[in-house]
């Protein structure tokens, strides 16, 4: 199964992606995690990404798409994947389509996790990540609205919408049921 998870910061993408990857037996590919791993190893890519991450801005499409292309070329991604945090722009979505098309594949579904705005901020402030200060959170929300929300329209053919308020386990089941993959 080739899946993309979308949703605003704080919607629980990372939590659900880990659980879904396990249930569907496919790798979980999080661009945020890949950037943080590069950052902790102080690679050139990590240092390049840091200034964007610290500000709540998107890392350039060129850097991000290059990183995803390499990750998707690894053996484990041949059987499918769950992308978490990518694509975040329509341009990234077009690049992803081209990458998949080159190997004769395409996305099976794009899962949109829906959570009311007021709950998002509460969740994020409780998470305590380095880039979870109030100003940076606010900027990430703006960037989501401007750059990422248009993906919902872009992917309307394959979009699966999930009410992502409730217990973690319950939300995972909702996704699997809707994908008919329980
Ligand atoms: P996340 O863990 O998904 O919240 O991502 C943390 C940060 O990594 C974001 O605020 C961006 O700076 C960067 N990032 C993650 N994914 C992407 C992406 N697809 N495109 C550009 N920047 C990204």
């Amino acid at each position: 199964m080739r899946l993309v998870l979308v949703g605003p910061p704080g919607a629980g993408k990372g939590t659900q992606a880990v659980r879904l990857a396990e249930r569907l037996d496919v790798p979980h590919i999080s661009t945020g995690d890949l950037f943080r791993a590069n950052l902790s190893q102080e690679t050139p890519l990590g240092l390049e990404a840091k200034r964007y991450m610290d500000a709540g801005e998107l890392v350039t499409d060129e850097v991000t798409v290059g990183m995803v292309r390499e990750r998707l070329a690894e053996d484990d991604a041949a059987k499918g994947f769950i992308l978490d945090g990518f694509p975040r722009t329509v341009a990234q979505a077009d690049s992803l389509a081209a990458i998949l098309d080159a190997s004769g594949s395409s996305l099976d579904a794009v899962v949109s996790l829906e959570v009311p705005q007021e709950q998002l901020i509460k969740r994020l402030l409780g998470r305590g990540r380095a880039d979870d200060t109030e100003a940076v959170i606010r900027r990430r929300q703006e960037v989501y609205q401007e750059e990422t929300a248009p993906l919902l329209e872009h992917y309307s053919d394959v979009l699966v919408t999930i009410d992502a308020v409730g217990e973690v386990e319950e939300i995972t089941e909702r996704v699997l049921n809707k994908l008919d993959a329980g």
Side-chain angles (χ1 to χ4, degrees), residues 9-10 13 30-33 35-36 49-61 64-65 67-68 84-89 92 124 127 129 131-132 136 140 143:
K13 286 191 302 295
S30 155
T31 42
D33 285 353
F35 283 133
R36 282 184 288 275
K50 179 176 162 48
R51 54 202 176 102
Y52 298 100
M53 297 171 78
D54 284 349
E57 303 292 343
L58 295 182
V59 180
T60 60
D61 284 347
T64 306
V65 168
M67 182 175 76
V68 171
D84 159 16
F86 181 93
R88 254 177 162 97
T89 65
Q92 290 181 6
L124 288 167
R127 196 165 69 168
R129 215 169 71 183
D131 58 348
D132 281 343
V136 176
R140 287 211 308 270
V143 170

Side-chain angles (χ1 to χ4, degrees), residues 76-88:
D76 63 341
K79 62 180 173 182
F81 50 78
I82 294 183
L83 278 169
D84 159 16
F86 181 93
R88 254 177 162 97

Side-chain angles (χ1 to χ4, degrees), residues 1 3 5 20 24 82 108-111 158 160 162 172-182:
M1 176 101 58
L3 285 186
L5 279 191
L20 291 166
L24 298 169
I82 294 183
D108 293 302
V110 173
V111 175
V158 281
V160 173
I162 302 291
T172 309
E173 294 309 320
R174 274 179 214 158
V175 177
L176 291 170
N177 286 337
K178 264 210 169 168
L179 292 174
D180 222 3

Side-chain angles (χ1 to χ4, degrees), residues 18-30:
V18 169
R19 297 175 55 83
L20 291 166
E22 189 165 312
R23 290 283 292 273
L24 298 169
D25 192 29
V26 291
H28 166 217
I29 302 177
S30 155

Side-chain angles (χ1 to χ4, degrees), residues 155-167:
Y155 281 133
S156 59
D157 287 357
V158 281
L159 198 69
V160 173
T161 301
I162 302 291
D163 168 10
V165 178
E167 296 298 321

